[in-house]
């Protein structure tokens, strides 16, 4: 499966490794989603609750990418009844508005002079990837698997800001989410993994990197539609999504964790 680059606790690394294996098995089936953590289903119409539960049992985590808000509570209750820990995220989405907003950010906001932006690829040093993982995990954000971060597995990219000591102080990522032939979500990219070293917060690093990530996904892979999940009430994340031209609609992302695989009850914040 290529590079064995998985990060986090022992439990998190094991879940990411199983997710990568499931992606190899199911990646050609358009019902399934994968963006570098675990395989899920694009929505309930692509597989019933038993199928989602089976994915979570095998991997330790799985999610529906698009659930109508009025159906989310019933799905969460059903998952709880099966012994899983459900997680609900508001789904924020944007297309032309996101691209326009990203362009405005890039035109008006720059990284501080002591920082350099780097896109990860096959030649990126292990040290830079380890620095990225340490910083992101310290912020409670679980990095995607290394093959996705490096853009080796699917249309995807990860941008980092590096200081003069080669330390990663901020990051943002984007990846294809659903199968390219999925009738509803095939041309929609996941966007996120925004994290910044606490010592550098207030400098709008995530905003700048996030904007560049959106524009590079459009330029390199022709994605013009983006989505991300935000936990309800997470005001900082909601603010940056709004600044980036994404809006909260009538859909949620509903995931679940097997507590036997992840004692913390969730993959990432």
């Amino acid at each position: 499966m290529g590079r064995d680059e998985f990060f986090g606790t022992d439990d998190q690394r094991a879940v990411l490794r199983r997710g990568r294996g499931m992606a190899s098995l199911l990646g050609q089936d358009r019902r399934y989603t994968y963006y570098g953590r675990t395989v899920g289903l694009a929505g309930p119409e692509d597989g019933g609750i038993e199928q989602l539960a089976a994915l979570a049992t095998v991997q330790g985590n799985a999610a529906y990418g698009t659930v109508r808000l009025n159906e989310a509570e019933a799905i969460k209750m059903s998952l709880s009844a099966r012994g899983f820990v459900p997680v609900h995220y508001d789904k924020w989405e944007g297309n032309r508005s996101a691209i326009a907003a990203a362009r405005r950010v890039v035109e008006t906001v720059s990284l501080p002079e002591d920082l350099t932006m780097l896109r990860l690829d096959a030649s990126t040093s292990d040290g830079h990837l380890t620095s990225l993982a340490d910083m992101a995990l310290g912020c409670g954000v679980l990095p995607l698997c290394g093959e996705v971060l490096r853009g080796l597995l699917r249309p995807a990219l990860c941008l980092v800001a590096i200081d003069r000591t080669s330390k990663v102080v901020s990051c943002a990522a984007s990846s294809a989410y659903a199968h390219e032939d999925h009738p509803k979500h095939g041309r929609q990219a996941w966007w996120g993994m925004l994290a910044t070293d606490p010592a550098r917060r207030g400098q709008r690093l995530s905003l700048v990197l996030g904007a560049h990530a959106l524009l590079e996904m459009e330029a390199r892979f022709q994605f013009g539609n983006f989505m991300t999940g935000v936990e309800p009430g997470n005001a900082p994340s909601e603010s940056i999504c709004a600044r980036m031209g994404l809006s909260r609609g009538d859909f949620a992302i509903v995931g679940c964790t097997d507590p036997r695989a992840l004692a913390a009850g969730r993959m990432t914040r």
Side-chain angles (χ1 to χ4, degrees):
M1 293 194 313
R3 293 175 182 265
D4 186 31
E5 295 176 325
F6 305 98
F7 304 98
T9 65
D10 289 346
D11 284 353
Q12 287 172 320
R13 290 197 302 273
V15 170
L16 290 173
R17 189 171 284 108
R18 289 193 291 270
R20 175 65 181 89
M22 289 294 284
S24 292
L25 290 173
L26 303 175
Q28 297 308 307
D29 190 320
R30 69 181 191 179
R31 295 173 296 172
Y32 297 105
T33 63
Y34 182 72
Y35 64 101
R37 288 182 178 139
T38 57
V39 171
L41 289 156
E45 66 275 14
D46 295 293
I49 198 73
E50 292 297 340
Q51 193 164 356
L52 184 68
L55 287 171
T57 298
V58 172
Q59 300 173 107
N61 175 273
Y64 281 137
T66 304
V67 174
R68 292 189 180 278
L69 287 177
N70 61 3
E71 299 173 358
E73 197 59 36
I75 290 173
K76 289 163 60 180
M77 290 177 62
S78 183
L79 291 168
S80 293
R82 289 168 169 79
F84 298 103
V85 179
V87 181
H88 172 120
Y89 298 97
D90 290 333
K91 187 171 186 180
W92 288 67
E93 302 177 86
N95 42 46
R96 294 180 192 174
S97 61
I99 296 299
R103 287 186 178 135
R104 286 194 296 271
V105 170
V106 168
E107 290 168 359
T108 58
V109 186
S110 301
L111 291 176
E113 291 184 0
D114 68 317
L115 299 182
T116 301
M117 184 170 68
L118 173 71
R119 179 174 57 84
L120 305 189
D121 60 21
S123 66
T124 300
S125 71
D126 293 343
H128 279 144
L129 206 62
T130 299
S131 181
L132 159 65
D134 289 344
M135 184 278 299
L137 289 165
C139 298
V141 176
L142 179 65
L144 312 181
C145 81
E147 287 177 284
V148 174
L149 293 176
R150 293 178 184 271
L152 302 176
L153 182 63
R154 58 197 295 105
L157 56 86
C158 177
L159 301 178
V160 298
I162 298 173
D163 69 13
R164 288 170 179 158
T165 69
S166 291
K167 177 184 177 183
V168 174
V169 298
S170 188
C171 63
S174 186
S175 171
Y177 182 68
H179 189 283
E180 62 182 359
D181 293 330
H182 192 278
K184 292 184 179 179
H185 309 295
R187 296 307 303 164
Q188 186 176 63
W190 171 88
W191 169 84
M193 213 182 86
L194 305 181
T196 296
D197 187 315
R200 302 300 298 246
R201 288 179 186 168
Q203 299 178 339
R204 299 186 289 183
L205 306 187
S206 289
L207 181 70
V208 174
L209 293 180
H212 278 282
L214 284 176
L215 295 179
E216 288 211 28
M217 282 296 284
E218 182 198 34
R220 289 178 178 274
F221 307 115
Q222 292 72 58
F223 280 98
N225 194 335
F226 297 88
M227 57 78 72
T228 195
V230 177
E231 190 168 8
N234 184 339
S237 293
E238 292 174 348
S239 177
I240 198 168
C241 284
R243 178 75 185 271
M244 206 61 66
L246 278 66
S247 58
R248 178 173 46 202
D250 297 326
F251 296 96
I253 299 169
V254 177
C256 66
T257 295
D258 186 341
R260 296 168 296 182
L262 282 166
R266 60 190 304 155
M267 281 283 284
T268 187
R269 70 170 175 83

